[in-house]
Structures are given as C-alpha cells and as structure tokens.
Amino acid sequence: MKPHPGSEEAPRAASDIRVFASSCTMHGLGRVFGPGGLTPRRGLWATALLLSLAAFLYQVAERARYYGEFHHETALDERESHRLTFPAVTLCNINPLRRSRLTPNDLHWAGPALLGVEPPEHAAFLRALGLPPAPPGFMPSPTFDMARLYARAGHTLEDMLLGCRYRGWPCGPENFTAIFTRMEKTPFEVGVRVQIHSQEEPPTIDQLGFGAAPGYQTFVSCQQQQLSFLPPPWGDCSSASLDPDFEPEPSGPLGPPSPSPGPQPPYSLMGCRLACEARYVARKCGCRMMHMPGGAPVCSPQQFKDCAHPALDAMLRKDACTCPNPCASTRYAKELSMVRIPSRASARYLARKHNRSEAYIAENVLVLDIFFEALNYETVEQKKAYEVSELLGDIGGQMGLFIGASLLTILEILDYLCEVFRDRVLGYFWNRKHSQRHSSTNLLQEGLGSHGTQVPHLSLGPRAPTPPCAVTKTLSASHRTCYLVTRL
C-alpha cells in the first residue's frame, strides 16, 4: 500500500504570521511570533515591541505636526558685486505750481480746491502776481484738465535741473520720465522731495521721500538690500501682477486687486497699495487722482476737493488695503549728511554762469549727491526651517532607533498584507465557490450510480453495493487532494 499523503505536515502559507515573522527585517518580530507556545520571554519581547512601536509612532506624529506648522527662518548675508544696478531717483518740487503761469480759467476751476483762493479774491490774487485780471465778460471753459494744468503751470525739469552727471558722464532732462505723485500740503517748506527706490516700484514720495533744502549740498549714501520672502503656507508673499481696473463684487472686502490676464508691471507693495487706492476712489467718486493708475477719468478739482481727497484720507486712516509683501524686492538703506553752499567764490561763479544774483543762488540752488556706500549688498532671505528631506530623515532615524526597520521593511509589510488579502479574503470566496461545485458533482455521481469511469446510461434501479476493495473518503472542499483507491 502506498503511504497516505495526509500523514506529512503540509507547508505553511505565505500569509501565516509565523512565516512572515521568520523572514521580516523588523527587529523583535521573530521573537514574538516564533515557533513554540506562549512563554514569559515571548511576553517580554511582545511588550518591548509594542512600547518601541508606540514611541516610534509618537515621534512620527510630533515631527509631522511640526512640519505642518510651516516654520521659516530669516538669513542675513552680505555679498560682493562689481556692478550694482543704480536705483531710480524721483524728484518733486515742494511748490507744485508756478503761480506766474496761472490764468483766470485756472483760478476758476482750481483756485478754491488747490490754492484756497475763493472767486472774490481772484482779481487781487492776479494783481499780486503782476498778472492781468480776468477780461470783462470772462467765461470759463466748460471742461478742465488737471493734467494739462500741471504740465503747463508745474515746475519743469528743464528749469530745475542745472547740471547732472551719472557715473562720470553728463546727463539731462531726457534721462528722466515725468510722473505724477501725491504730495501733502507743506506751506512752510521750500526745496525738493526725493525718493530713492527700485526701478520696478512706483514712487510714494509723500510717505517715503526725504527733503533736500536749497543752500545745502545733500549727500546720500546708499546700500542695496535684496529681500526674498516665502509664499504661503510658509509666508504671505505674492508675486502676481495686479490690475487696478479690475473691480470685484461691490460687497467684497478691499483686499489686493485680483491678477489681470494681460501684461502688467512686476508686483510691488506700493504698486498694490496704489491699485487698491485707485479702485477705492473710483468706486466712491467715479474718478481717480492723477497719481493713481488705471483707466478711470481723472477727478476734476471739485471732485478732488469734495470726494477723492476726503475718501482717500479716510481709507488711509482705516488701513483698508491688504497687500502682502512681494516675494522678491529691492530696497535701499540711506544715510544723509549736508554741508552749506555756496562759498563766496562759487556763489560769484554760479551767479555769472546762470545770470542770477548771488542771493538768488544761495536761496534757490541745492546740490544732491547720491552714491553707493560700497560695492556690496545685503540679502535678507526667508528659508524653510524644516524641509521634506529633514522630515523623512527624522522619520527614518526614529524608525531605525526604535523598531530597527527601513523603507524595505515597509515594503515587506505591504507585501505580507497583500498575501493575507489573497489567501484569507480571495481564498475564502474561491473555496466557497469550489465547494458548491464539488457538492453538485457528488450529488450527480450518487444519482447516476456509476461503477466505472464512464456512464453508459441512466438507471433508476437499486444501487450496486460497494466492492470490498473500495475505500470511502470524504473530501474537504478546502483541500485539493487526490486519493488512489486500490485493492487490499
């Protein structure tokens, strides 16, 4: 008789936890699920494994929480450069208008709003300036353009700039661009207001400008600073170009204007504030001030006095504009010093050169000298305090310290889970289906009463007795085992 196959121990499936523990690279797992029964030693190993796993998961959760807070740090550095980009220099005469260029039509439209001169005072005002009064039957023009007024009556750079040199080469008014800025009323000051800023940033000379007085030479020592900020979630910077003409819903908050699909200048903090102010004034008054960007019509002097100026002042007091820092910007630290001019010799020379008196030179001429302190610049850069690589490194270190595992160990665990799913879940449904098929086959064979390997015909008679050499064996539907039946 052949040996019975069931007498040998069947090999364990790959989904068996003992098989997995014997080959897994995680420390301690083989000690817990090794062969044999439950012993105190195995219990101690199981306790140590659970405590190490809990400590590892706690450290991972703490590192993940710290990374989710998106901390950043600021690094300050100084770098050398053989050639620095010179900043933009904006000059504004504190006296906005030349009163000798005013006309009766200008006084009619802009006198009360800009000069504080009421209509009954127009004639006396013109006589004080040595100008002819308004002719009889004078009728003001039906429209008035503020830009034309400042272009005609404002101080031109051709009259203001007596001499200019840039890097040793002569320069002139053709190297400057006319631009409108907002200026606060300063009735007791003389001279010019100056702002030094980057080429991409619009001037806000009323807030960031400094004064240069006539009769003095002002030295301005600059040092370039390059600032880099991080975008969300590490910081709050923005680099999107803005369009002051884009108008959101009226009920929306006065945040930064939305990006425009068309070409726009680079984002800057002052550009964002100007766009926000232009949008606010246009919404309140239906016009914009001359220094504001956008396509809205320029406010008339009366609109400027009654609506635009009060609305803008109220908005600045409330600080209604929310503008994030630019992700990259350039600013210039400044140090000022002054000496009095002119000397007696230079006063006589300047008087002859410009055909003016020495007193006029001393009261109306100033010298502005702007230069770099050194050919280096400072960088202020925000950096991520905790990178993804550092997070993975910390997790890997904690994993190796507490449970002695690695990335390949995680792959082993995933492979074991796939084996468990295949053997326990899919195998259950496969065996159930196979059992149903096997039961149907047994019932069919019993009904046929077959004695051989072939069934010649169906018989409804009594079933033939089982020969004495036959071996009866009930097969389990969960095992695919074949048995050979022989005579004893």
Side-chain angles (χ1 to χ4, degrees):
M1 183 183 70
K2 295 183 179 181
H4 196 286
S7 61
E8 298 180 0
E9 184 179 357
R12 295 183 180 273
S15 60
D16 194 328
I17 185 63
R18 295 186 178 183
V19 175
F20 171 71
S22 63
S23 60
C24 183
T25 57
M26 181 184 295
H27 294 179
L29 198 62
R31 305 277 184 177
V32 177
F33 296 100
L38 180 62
T39 61
R41 182 181 180 183
R42 180 171 298 182
L44 292 176
W45 272 106
T47 302
L49 180 62
L50 292 177
L51 290 177
S52 298
L53 183 61
F56 163 67
L57 294 178
Y58 172 79
Q59 293 294 333
V60 170
E62 194 277 332
R63 290 290 86 191
R65 180 196 61 80
Y66 181 78
Y67 177 80
E69 294 176 352
F70 302 107
H71 295 276
H72 68 266
E73 57 187 14
T74 303
L76 177 63
D77 193 13
E78 184 172 321
R79 300 179 183 178
E80 299 291 334
S81 176
H82 297 290
R83 189 178 183 89
L84 297 176
T85 301
F86 200 75
V89 180
T90 301
L91 306 171
C92 283
N93 198 312
I94 294 179
N95 181 16
L97 294 173
R98 290 180 291 179
R99 300 190 178 186
S100 60
R101 297 293 182 92
L102 296 177
T103 64
N105 189 66
D106 298 335
L107 291 179
H108 173 81
W109 288 100
L114 300 180
L115 303 175
V117 181
E118 298 299 331
E121 303 172 343
H122 288 178
F125 184 84
L126 292 173
R127 283 195 302 268
L129 297 176
L131 299 176
F138 166 74
M139 294 294 295
S141 61
T143 59
F144 187 76
D145 191 341
M146 290 286 293
R148 292 183 179 179
L149 169 65
Y150 279 95
R152 174 172 46 84
H155 292 271
T156 63
L157 192 61
E158 288 79 2
D159 297 332
M160 293 172 52
L161 190 62
L162 303 181
C164 175
R165 295 189 70 85
Y166 174 70
R167 289 181 175 173
W169 294 90
C171 55
E174 65 277 3
N175 301 115
F176 292 81
T177 302
I179 188 173
F180 291 105
T181 62
R182 191 187 187 201
M183 284 286 290
E184 300 293 337
K185 294 182 178 180
T186 53
F188 304 108
E189 298 178 7
V190 293
V192 296
R193 295 270 291 188
V194 185
Q195 182 182 355
I196 299 174
H197 53 95
S198 65
Q199 301 285 346
E200 296 80 14
E201 185 179 7
T204 52
I205 203 164
D206 59 317
Q207 303 176 23
L208 303 179
F210 61 91
Y216 290 89
Q217 180 174 2
T218 304
F219 297 93
V220 184
S221 173
C222 300
Q223 184 178 27
Q224 187 182 95
Q225 295 177 335
Q226 293 185 358
L227 291 80
S228 299
F229 298 97
L230 290 174
W234 292 272
D236 60 349
C237 77
S238 174
S239 59
S241 299
L242 305 177
D243 184 7
D245 291 329
F246 182 84
E247 183 68 21
E249 295 296 329
S251 58
L254 276 175
S258 301
S260 172
Q264 294 291 329
Y267 175 82
S268 64
L269 181 61
M270 293 305 164
C272 174
R273 293 191 64 88
L274 281 176
C276 179
E277 294 170 2
R279 184 182 62 180
Y280 182 85
V281 173
R283 181 189 301 176
K284 292 291 185 180
C285 307
C287 62
R288 64 177 177 88
M289 296 182 178
M290 286 190 305
H291 71 279
M292 293 179 175
V298 178
C299 297
S300 66
Q302 198 63 34
Q303 287 177 314
F304 176 86
K305 178 183 179 181
D306 296 340
C307 183
H309 193 272
L312 183 58
D313 287 343
M315 178 187 180
L316 295 178
R317 286 194 298 268
K318 294 187 298 183
D319 197 14
C321 287
T322 302
C323 291
N325 290 322
C327 293
S329 62
T330 303
R331 69 182 183 187
Y332 297 90
K334 300 174 291 292
E335 292 184 3
L336 278 68
S337 60
M338 292 180 292
V339 295
R340 187 167 182 81
I341 61 166
S343 63
R344 292 183 178 181
S346 61
R348 289 193 295 268
Y349 166 76
L350 293 174
R352 290 194 303 268
K353 180 180 180 180
H354 298 288
N355 196 22
R356 298 286 186 176
S357 65
E358 295 183 13
Y360 179 89
I361 297 297
E363 293 178 359
N364 293 276
V365 174
L366 62 90
V367 178
L368 184 63
D369 194 351
I370 302 174
F371 57 93
F372 280 118
E373 178 181 346
L375 289 179
N376 56 24
Y377 62 95
E378 292 182 353
T379 60
V380 180
E381 183 180 4
Q382 283 187 351
K383 296 182 178 180
K384 299 176 184 178
Y386 199 56
E387 297 278 0
V388 177
S389 59
E390 296 175 307
L391 173 64
L392 296 178
D394 286 348
I395 292 178
Q398 303 293 342
M399 186 185 299
L401 175 64
F402 287 103
I403 59 178
S406 65
L407 181 62
L408 296 180
T409 306
I410 298 177
L411 296 180
E412 291 177 354
I413 295 175
L414 294 177
D415 180 71
Y416 169 71
L417 295 178
C418 291
E419 292 288 344
V420 171
F421 178 78
R422 186 186 67 180
D423 292 348
R424 304 294 173 85
V425 179
L426 298 182
Y428 169 77
F429 291 103
W430 186 90
N431 291 333
R432 184 176 180 182
K433 184 177 181 181
H434 180 72
S435 176
Q436 293 176 354
R437 290 181 178 179
H438 186 72
S439 299
S440 300
T441 304
N442 288 341
L443 290 175
L444 180 60
Q445 290 178 354
E446 291 177 1
L448 294 176
S450 173
H451 297 283
T453 58
Q454 296 181 356
V455 181
H457 64 277
L458 296 176
S459 175
L460 300 178
R463 182 178 179 182
T466 304
C469 63
V471 178
T472 303
K473 180 68 176 178
T474 302
L475 299 181
S476 173
S478 62
H479 295 81
R480 292 169 285 178
T481 309
C482 297
Y483 293 89
L484 177 64
V485 181
T486 60
R487 289 184 178 273
L488 299 176

